[in-house]
Amino acid sequence: MPQILKVWTAAAALSLMLVWPAPVSRAAASPEVQASFPAFPVTVNGTVTDQAHSQYPLLLYRDITYFPMTWNYTSSLGLAVSWSKESGLSLDKKDGCASLAQDLTAEVNASSGGPQAAVPAPFPVKVNGKTIVNADEPYPVLLYRNIAYFPMTWRFAHEEFNWKTSWNDVRGFAIQSCARPDDAERTQAEALNLANGGKLAVKDGWVYMNPYLWSEGAHQLVKSKPDGSSQTKLSDDKATSINVVGDWLYYIASEPRKPNAIYKIKTDGTERTLVSQTNAGGLWVRDDWMYYLRLAERSGNENAPYYTPGGIERMRTDGSEKQTLLSGMAVKNFFLQGERLYYLTIEGEKTKLYVMGNDGSGRTELRDNVAEFSIIDGWIYYVKDSKQLRKMSADGSVDIPLHEPARTPIFGLNYRDGWLYYVSGGFGVSGYASMERIRLDGTRRQVLAEARATALYIAEDQLYFPDWSMGDRTMYHMKIDDPQP
């Protein structure tokens, strides 16, 4: 459960809770003021918040954003908080910040809108050792639902805490109390492209992909700028699960009637090298390890064998130290998240989502009837029964419905700047599906374009998608913020 700073007794202070007792606050506090919920996105250190499902939603008072002084928010803002009966509330800047862990609930609590009654805090407040006369402040510390809320004014955010803030009409309000690790955003973007099959990878301003994915015929692995310019051929491979690691591309060379071997090639197209003849699918390269689905050959036509997933293995990037992490399971796909490995199995008529350590330990079932899933900022976004878009906490304890479209199935989940991208609808010879996006809280759905898109990839400001036609796929792209309905 989340911790809230409670202003009540010394014992409550020790438990890091900051809630003012309702009977006392009503007697001692100033008259109520009217606040509201922000109608714009709010980002903290690169993490877009979900205010619609927040247990402690942000407030807007006199056009200033107020943050609740919960343990998670103060930790992510890099604030040391203390309380005493005599001195009241003290906020001091400290070194370092934790990643924002959001306290969410399935209930939609911020969509009701309308005025929200709050009161100026009736206790002393200190900021970096300086006493604030709350009664004289144009933007006082507020109590809302008995939780202390602090104003993000220029005076406090910039002058006292030395944070960076920004605003624009699309991305809303952003606050940066600590720099997000340089590779955090890039690593997440790479993971989401890999989760869609890895037919496209991005690094250092270059896109690596197969522009044409024929069912039969010649192929080319190329690199280009995100807008499609400066295209250069690297090899004749039909590459999937493309990973960019330093100056190398690791990928699976997908060929009909041949094992899907793992290769690597320099980003300039030189030194193409066979890494392993292992028949692999779903390759992820992390920390000198290659994780992949082990494909088992099944009986069939001698000239056209077929393969099914038989588990998950890993080996070193030089092809040594092969280890079996999971065997005897038909695994549809998997997703690496730090020290954890999430994977989707096919068990009879059901698909089930599991999590285990990336060394194969501690297997736990999270959900069944999961058709697709991806992980964004620590939350699992998934499709239930191929028709319900939902998200849940990493341990599965909180489950939130987001959207149920008229067109199904839903697939191709990807993410950028607070938007969840997906494909909605099936297609055949004459059918189409919609490429759409929706906010992480399930609001503001937008249709971007109609296409037979089999996956979605994001390269900077471009949305790439393989367009299906009679078994062949051609890679197209469009500007993300240039909808073409």
Side-chain angles (χ1 to χ4, degrees):
M1 293 296 292
Q3 291 176 303
I4 311 167
L5 300 168
K6 274 194 177 181
V7 187
W8 198 341
T9 65
L14 290 175
S15 68
L16 290 179
M17 299 246 173
L18 186 54
V19 175
W20 188 260
V24 179
S25 65
R26 294 179 190 278
S30 302
E32 289 183 348
V33 299
Q34 298 301 312
S36 61
F37 296 126
F40 46 81
V42 177
T43 302
V44 179
N45 295 334
T47 298
V48 177
T49 62
D50 179 349
Q51 294 305 309
H53 300 95
S54 176
Q55 294 185 34
Y56 312 105
L58 306 185
L59 289 179
L60 193 67
Y61 175 60
R62 292 182 178 175
D63 295 327
I64 293 295
T65 305
Y66 276 67
F67 276 60
M69 293 293 95
T70 63
W71 177 253
N72 284 342
Y73 272 117
T74 56
S75 296
S76 66
L77 293 172
L79 294 177
V81 185
S82 61
W83 162 261
S84 73
K85 195 172 183 179
E86 297 75 22
S87 302
L89 170 66
S90 293
L91 298 174
D92 296 279
K93 180 176 172 58
K94 66 178 182 179
D95 294 332
C97 305
S99 298
L100 177 62
Q102 299 191 64
D103 306 315
L104 303 182
T105 174
E107 297 180 7
V108 180
N109 56 29
S111 63
S112 57
Q116 304 295 315
V119 296
F123 45 77
V125 178
K126 286 185 178 181
V127 175
N128 287 336
K130 304 169 188 175
T131 299
I132 304 300
V133 182
N134 205 41
D136 297 338
E137 288 289 321
Y139 306 102
V141 176
L142 297 177
L143 284 176
Y144 173 69
R145 298 178 182 172
N146 291 336
I147 299 172
Y149 275 68
F150 195 80
M152 297 297 144
T153 62
W154 181 273
R155 172 189 170 195
F156 293 128
H158 290 262
E159 296 176 0
E160 291 292 344
F161 300 133
N162 197 31
W163 298 335
K164 295 179 181 179
T165 60
S166 62
W167 165 267
N168 67 48
D169 292 337
V170 176
R171 298 185 181 182
F173 177 66
I175 189 164
Q176 182 178 307
S177 55
C178 291
R180 192 175 189 181
D182 291 339
D183 63 346
E185 187 173 348
R186 177 181 58 82
T187 299
Q188 177 166 276
E190 289 176 353
L192 293 168
N193 282 338
L194 277 172
N196 273 286
K199 296 178 179 67
L200 180 149
V202 185
K203 190 173 183 183
D204 297 334
W206 289 97
V207 174
Y208 302 88
M209 63 175 178
N210 282 102
Y212 305 103
L213 299 165
W214 310 123
S215 54
E216 297 286 346
H219 297 91
Q220 289 187 357
L221 172 60
V222 306
K223 72 175 182 180
S224 71
K225 292 297 185 180
D227 63 1
S229 64
S230 304
Q231 188 173 115
T232 304
K233 176 183 172 181
L234 301 180
S235 76
D236 292 318
D237 290 305
K238 181 180 180 181
T240 61
S241 296
I242 303 170
N243 293 254
V244 189
V245 183
D247 295 329
W248 290 92
L249 302 182
Y250 286 79
Y251 59 94
I252 295 171
S254 178
E255 300 180 34
R257 295 182 294 277
K258 288 184 180 180
N260 292 334
I262 300 173
Y263 283 83
K264 68 178 181 178
I265 192 172
K266 286 277 193 176
T267 54
D268 62 2
T270 61
E271 300 184 44
R272 180 178 181 270
T273 306
L274 174 66
V275 178
S276 175
Q277 195 65 53
T278 298
N279 197 9
L283 175 69
W284 290 56
V285 182
R286 292 290 185 272
D287 301 324
D288 297 323
W289 287 99
M290 300 187 300
Y291 297 78
Y292 56 92
L293 298 179
R294 181 178 61 82
L295 301 181
E297 183 175 343
R298 303 302 181 189
S299 60
N301 188 319
E302 182 178 312
N303 295 320
Y306 69 95
Y307 302 88
T308 59
I312 302 174
E313 295 179 345
R314 71 175 182 179
M315 69 175 74
R316 292 292 184 180
T317 50
D318 62 1
S320 64
E321 294 187 48
K322 181 184 291 188
Q323 299 176 5
T324 298
L325 305 181
L326 182 72
S327 62
M329 299 288 288
V331 181
K332 182 179 178 182
N333 53 36
F334 66 92
F335 197 111
L336 272 171
Q337 178 75 1
E339 299 295 317
R340 291 174 292 186
L341 192 155
Y342 294 81
Y343 60 96
L344 197 59
T345 64
I346 303 171
E347 301 179 29
E349 298 297 320
K350 288 188 176 183
T351 54
K352 294 186 178 183
L353 179 62
Y354 293 86
V355 62
M356 65 181 179
N358 61 8
D359 60 355
S361 62
R363 174 184 171 191
T364 302
E365 181 180 340
L366 294 176
R367 287 290 184 281
D368 58 14
N369 297 322
V370 175
E372 302 278 341
F373 78 99
S374 281
I375 301 175
I376 301 167
D377 289 340
W379 285 79
I380 304 170
Y381 291 77
Y382 73 100
V383 179
K384 181 179 180 181
D385 297 325
S386 297
K387 63 182 181 180
Q388 296 179 1
L389 185 59
R390 307 177 70 91
K391 71 177 177 183
M392 64 177 163
S393 55
D395 62 0
S397 61
V398 180
D399 198 311
I400 300 172
L402 296 177
H403 178 56
E404 187 165 344
R407 303 170 85 176
T408 58
I410 307 170
F411 58 94
L413 306 182
N414 215 313
Y415 169 80
R416 180 179 183 268
D417 289 341
W419 291 97
L420 181 66
Y421 293 79
Y422 60 93
V423 181
S424 177
F427 48 85
V429 174
S430 59
Y432 280 88
S434 300
M435 295 187 295
E436 303 179 0
R437 68 180 182 180
I438 198 169
R439 284 290 183 184
L440 294 184
D441 60 5
T443 62
R444 299 176 60 187
R445 182 182 70 91
Q446 297 177 4
V447 176
L448 301 177
E450 296 273 321
R452 300 185 185 96
T454 59
L456 297 180
Y457 301 98
I458 293 177
E460 296 184 1
D461 65 345
Q462 299 288 322
L463 179 67
Y464 276 79
F465 55 97
D467 187 73
W468 181 90
S469 177
M470 302 298 292
D472 294 330
R473 286 160 289 174
T474 302
M475 192 75 82
Y476 290 95
H477 64 98
M478 56 182 276
K479 274 196 172 183
I480 284 180
D481 294 320
D482 184 21
Q484 301 174 19

